[in-house]
Amino acid sequence: MYLQRPTLGWNSWNTFGNKINSKLIRETADLMVSSGLREAGYTYLVIDDCWSLRQRDKRGNLVPDPELFPEGMKALGDYIHDKGLQFGMYSCVGTQTCAGYPGSFGHEFQDAATFASWGVDYLKYDYCYKPMMVDGCILYRRMGLALKNCGRDIVFDACSWGYDDTRYWIRTTGANQWRSTLDLVDSWESLKNMILKQNDQTAFGGMGCFNDMDMLIVGMYGSGNVGITGCTDEEYRLHYSLWALMGSPLMIGCDLREMNDTTREILTNPEVIAIDQDAQSQPFRIPNGYFPEEQPVWVKQLDNGDYAMVYANLHDDGVNICACWWDLGLPPGCGYGFAVRDVWKHEDLGVYENTFCVGVPAHSCRMFRLALTKL
Ligand code: GLA
């Protein structure tokens, strides 16, 4: 399967960890529809780790925990499909998953067949308990081969956290997206750290195999499995803006039953989602003053010739951030400028000839779409 756009959906891990069950997944499917998330493009509903029994059955098959998932995964998958959603599941290259459930090592073809028989559309494939004697790229190739030949189109989500130079070999495995970092947790420190880690990853995303910057913490406010201190709404908006600019898969991690209006507004902004889904071109950073690390300006060319741009402020104080059109390929005096649109405020800000400067408060961002305009 050649995936054209980064996946959008919801994943159970960030909030629920091992506290998952059929009822929760059904309720989440219902909410993805009733809250407008499906309409906004979030179609994958992914059950992460902790769904199976601790042992395979006598034939070596994975067995869903009958207490948590009494109707089995096929019936649950049917429910998800009936809602117009797609069904995602989780396994691991190793002998065990990260939480200690059976991994797919040595069972790759059998497990791919099992997932296909349950109607699975997406497999997240983790990197814990990897046997030392086999290279990671071989293990991803095994599952990639198994999935490609299982008789069903299944998105292959490789979750090896960027380890072992993942970015250089992941496209040889059939993976559709690859995790470039360890886990993002719900705190400003973690978020800032993850953003800085993207500086040398920009060449390795885009169509073919999207750079997965990890699941979203938007709307968690410190609760749930990876909830630490929580973040402010402005920090969540900065997080979402950069994930979209970078063309990352956008997997919601908050509890949809508790979702407030601000969270919904962040997650369903059509102008920002369109920028995420427009992921053919390589994102880049442009020079912007004395602290480029702490106040990065990220840019991505869009398919219709526009640019998307994020002015991010990672400082603990407000700063003034400027971008110079020169760095976007627009020399002074060429007869063109850029019309600047604020995609969070849904506001056109006018046409600028050479530069565009704005004040950006601490831990927040501004996000724009630029359209080339004759002066
Ligand atoms: C790893 C992954 C997480 C999650 C957990 C589950 O840490 O990176 O995204 O899947 O395993 O145990």
Side-chain angles (χ1 to χ4, degrees):
M1 150 186 283
Y2 192 73
L3 198 62
Q4 303 286 334
R5 283 176 285 279
T7 48
L8 302 181
W10 180 91
N11 175 300
S12 59
W13 182 253
N14 276 4
T15 293
F16 296 99
N18 65 0
K19 296 184 182 54
I20 48 174
N21 57 53
S22 208
K23 181 167 170 285
L24 170 76
I25 300 302
R26 283 170 177 254
E27 274 173 16
T28 301
D30 296 348
L31 283 163
M32 285 174 79
V33 179
S34 62
S35 65
L37 287 172
R38 183 190 68 182
E39 209 53 40
Y42 297 89
T43 56
Y44 289 93
L45 196 170
V46 184
I47 301 175
D48 207 283
D49 207 349
C50 311
W51 58 267
S52 76
L53 286 180
R54 297 268 176 185
Q55 303 293 337
R56 290 173 179 268
D57 72 10
K58 286 202 187 81
R59 296 192 174 136
N61 290 312
L62 291 168
V63 185
D65 185 321
E67 281 186 17
L68 303 178
F69 297 98
E71 86 266 58
M73 289 305 179
K74 172 75 174 74
L76 187 54
D78 288 347
Y79 187 85
I80 291 168
H81 289 143
D82 285 348
K83 295 274 159 188
L85 300 168
Q86 288 156 295
F87 179 26
M89 289 210 63
Y90 167 99
S91 189
C92 184
V93 300
T95 49
Q96 293 179 48
T97 70
C98 297
Y101 295 79
S104 288
F105 180 72
H107 293 270
E108 290 85 354
F109 294 86
Q110 181 176 13
D111 291 353
T114 300
F115 291 131
S117 75
W118 291 341
V120 167
D121 305 297
Y122 175 114
L123 181 69
K124 174 173 172 179
Y125 205 46
D126 219 331
Y127 209 50
C128 285
Y129 296 99
K130 182 187 89 59
M132 298 286 281
M133 73 282 190
V134 195
D135 285 345
C137 66
I138 306 280
L139 295 178
Y140 279 99
R141 275 183 209 143
R142 278 192 198 172
M143 187 49 98
L145 184 64
L147 290 175
K148 282 247 191 292
N149 291 282
C150 74
R152 194 173 166 85
D153 272 346
I154 298 184
V155 172
F156 187 22
D157 166 13
C159 181
S160 59
W161 323 306
Y163 277 24
D164 299 329
D165 288 330
T166 307
R167 58 196 184 183
Y168 293 114
W169 47 258
I170 195 63
R171 281 179 169 76
T172 71
T173 68
N176 302 105
Q177 55 192 60
W178 69 287
R179 259 280 284 284
S180 55
T181 60
L182 274 170
D183 296 10
L184 171 67
V185 295
D186 186 23
S187 73
W188 169 248
E189 280 65 40
S190 176
L191 179 56
K192 180 174 174 180
N193 187 26
M194 290 294 157
I195 293 168
L196 294 175
K197 284 213 159 54
Q198 290 303 324
N199 286 344
D200 56 356
Q201 311 281 15
T202 54
F204 302 95
M207 271 165 83
C209 194
F210 297 103
N211 170 3
D212 176 5
M213 293 161 65
D214 201 4
M215 297 163 302
L216 302 172
I217 53 171
V218 178
M220 290 185 65
Y221 302 108
S223 65
N225 186 39
V226 306
I228 308 287
T229 53
C231 294
T232 65
D233 285 328
E234 280 314 299
E235 290 167 347
Y236 288 139
R237 205 185 298 274
L238 162 64
H239 159 43
Y240 192 80
S241 301
L242 283 174
W243 266 233
L245 191 285
M246 294 286 286
S248 174
L250 301 174
M251 285 289 162
I252 298 168
C254 68
D255 184 346
L256 298 187
R257 301 168 306 184
E258 308 280 322
M259 182 165 64
N260 67 22
D261 288 346
T262 308
T263 300
R264 186 181 297 106
E265 179 247 329
I266 293 174
L267 295 174
T268 59
N269 181 330
E271 295 193 61
V272 180
I273 292 176
I275 288 169
D276 175 72
Q277 298 287 285
D278 195 327
Q280 204 167 5
S281 180
Q282 179 183 329
F284 59 100
R285 283 175 44 198
I286 58 176
N288 59 317
Y290 296 118
F291 304 106
E293 294 293 308
E294 293 272 308
Q295 50 187 66
V297 172
W298 286 95
V299 190
K300 178 173 65 175
Q301 192 182 61
L302 302 174
D303 198 35
N304 75 341
D306 289 359
Y307 279 114
M309 194 160 77
V310 173
Y311 286 21
N313 181 7
L314 311 182
H315 280 298
D316 295 334
D317 299 309
V319 291
N320 198 41
I321 301 184
C322 291
C324 185
W325 295 166
W326 171 269
D327 294 308
L328 303 181
L330 192 63
C334 69
Y336 291 89
F338 281 118
V340 178
R341 179 172 173 78
D342 186 317
V343 295
W344 283 113
K345 295 185 177 156
H346 307 293
E347 218 173 80
D348 292 323
L349 305 181
V351 177
Y352 291 79
E353 206 176 329
N354 293 311
T355 56
F356 182 66
C357 298
V358 285
V360 186
H363 299 195
S364 75
C365 77
R366 299 285 300 272
M367 188 171 193
F368 309 107
R369 185 167 180 132
L370 313 184
L372 191 70
T373 306
K374 213 159 180 30
L375 294 172

